[in-house]
Amino acid sequence: MVIRGFARLVVAPTEPLSTYLPDGSAAELRAPLLRMDRLCGLSVVAVARMLAEDSSLRSGAIGDEVAIVLGSAHGCHKTDEEYYRSYLQGQPSPRLFAYTLPSSPIGELSIQYRLRGPGLTVTMGRTSGLCALAEADLLLATHQAEACLVVAVEVAQPVLSPVLLQDAAVALWLTRDEGTRSSELGTIESVSDSFCAGRGSVALGRVLSSLHGASDSPIYCDEETVRIGAAALEHRTLQRQSAPAGAVSGLWLLTEALHDAGEPSAVAVVDDAGHAAAALLVRSPSVLRGV
Amino acid sequence: MSGVAITGLGALTGLGSSASELYARLLDGQTAVRRLPALQGSALDVGPLVTVSLPGDGNEDGRALLSSEPRASQFLQHVAHEALGQSGLAFSGLRSSLRLGVCIATTLGEKAPWLHGLESLSRDPAVPPQIPPYGCSLPAEQLAAQLGAERVRVISTACCSSNSALALSLYWLRRGLCDVVLCGGVDVLQPFVVSGFRLLRAQSQEVCRPFDVRRSGVNLGEAAACVVLEPEPRARERGQRVLGRLVGAGLSQDAHHMTAPDPQGRGALLAMERALSDAGLPVDAVDFVSSHGTGTPFNDQMEARALKLLLGERSRHVPVNSIKGSVGHTLGAAGVLEAVMAVHILADQRIPATVGLEQPDPSFEIDLVIGGPRSARVRYVLSTASGFGGENAAVVLAAGDGGGLS
């Protein structure tokens, strides 16, 4: 699976998203953005930024053949909360209710970019982002899609989820690895994930052992992964990084690895409930060194 | 593409607590849709609904809809027990013997405790209570932990979540990522979703009428359903009867509107065509369509149009039904529930009628099963679903070893 484009953003919860729109798309996306909830807005802006970096991604793809896979640990919980408060106050909002589904960003992305391939939303805690990558890999490998847009997104909710202090999103554009090396940013060699109730380090151990060729690779992980997976990560070279919380974490670390261009690089993340792990092995072409 | 064997079924609906009860009562033309005494006179008395009673839960009047109990987890456990039991895979003893996948569809998860936490916070913001977890993936994770599953996913793609989960489970097994997959769907009713559908004016004030000229909206329902999927050679090896087969799946998006389907049915058609192509079957192979058939003016029109485009001249001769008038629109459970029904139809060769349908909309030009069950030769079933955001998912099911299932 080849990475052809990526973008990421972290936004303060009160900051307007329109300021993050790339210049070229500001006019066409500004009005729809006002209609959307924050989860959809973050997803659409992240994708707009990615497509602004490389317009060939969209123009080179047929909309019917592009899948969208979304990963989010907490999904639409902020919109859920806002809708339910409006209901409890006797003034329920139909506009808010329309966005009380974790899959709403897929709908908005498909509308904005005329994408009619398969759509999937994965909500598996902190590993949701990497699990979304695993399912994108599956859709591409089984020829259900020719390209896949993967988005990991989380909306901050400091009162109810103290770990989510910032809004964040990462978007990736993926295609099958067909041996053409031009224009690719990196290759995901394998994606693994495992579930092991209450034993995060065991789950992490399993996925690391399944990453063929990764034994000498530095592993990009955040502090939470180190804490949960200390036993499994023993004797491994760790590149500790900071990353936004939730499902964005894994894909964020992936983009860090792409920038650093360690070759080969591996990225691992364990979810904060300590019962699931997901990891992938990514190889970065040397052209990216020093980016 | 290769299909996979279905070796276990489980269903918990307003019509009963097992898959065979569901099918028997669907054939009888029964409905579980009714006004709930516990809601009468309240703002949630929005029209008839369907609730599920578990033994001893006292939910005959629908009061559980207002509770903070983790009912989605209970529902899922119930259907998993039934399906695994039928497939000869006991709840215990799975841990070391196989690579089990658990793929669960839901739109709401276990949201009730979280919503009650919000209510407490709303009453007294000065004293923030302990807010329970958001809970979207909770029922699936608990089940997966009990079963020792290795691969777990919670899939949420609105009202086609279940068919999306079936699709993903099929792809997993084809790629050899699991030995067996327990694929299920679950959603329980809460004030959250009931109030929302009322706002959208999508709730019918009578038993819903799928594809009827007088159709006026949905009856929300709660349910859970499960199927056990595995490669056929594996099922044969362990001497397990193949109840039916999941042979194809297709997913698509409308790219049209967040809350209204594409009136031309292009997205739904795309999903149906992809499912048949994935199964390696021509359109002519479709013997029966288990439709999404929610009873809303827009959905049914869109779906009938898509079916007409798909089936062409055969649209007047391929039987179509909807079970929404019997069990309600069960949201994230709907697709797997309809797959359970389809497996029974494939074994029994009788198609339940569409409860609530009296005067088919003549503009649809499709062959709706009406009045009573119809005997028909059914080898392949196309089951369709669509949801908010323009999501569509279709699956194709095929006959198993034959013989009755009840």
Side-chain angles (χ1 to χ4, degrees), chain B residues 138-158:
Chain B
L138 216 54
E141 289 181 18
Q142 285 174 351
L143 179 66
Q146 284 175 301
L147 296 174
E150 278 197 22
R151 190 176 180 93
V152 185
R153 291 288 188 275
V154 177
I155 299 300
S156 189
T157 48

Side-chain angles (χ1 to χ4, degrees), chain B residues 21-32:
Chain B
E21 273 183 284
L22 168 70
Y23 182 61
R25 289 174 182 168
L26 288 173
L27 284 177
D28 272 355
Q30 294 184 28
T31 179

Side-chain angles (χ1 to χ4, degrees), chain B residues 84 89 93-101 147-150 178-181 230 234 238:
Chain B
L84 288 169
L89 297 165
L94 288 178
R95 194 169 299 267
S96 58
S97 58
L98 51 76
R99 294 175 304 146
L100 177 70
L147 296 174
E150 278 197 22
C178 300
D179 298 324
V180 173
V181 178
E230 58 190 303
R234 184 190 161 79
R238 58 188 195 89

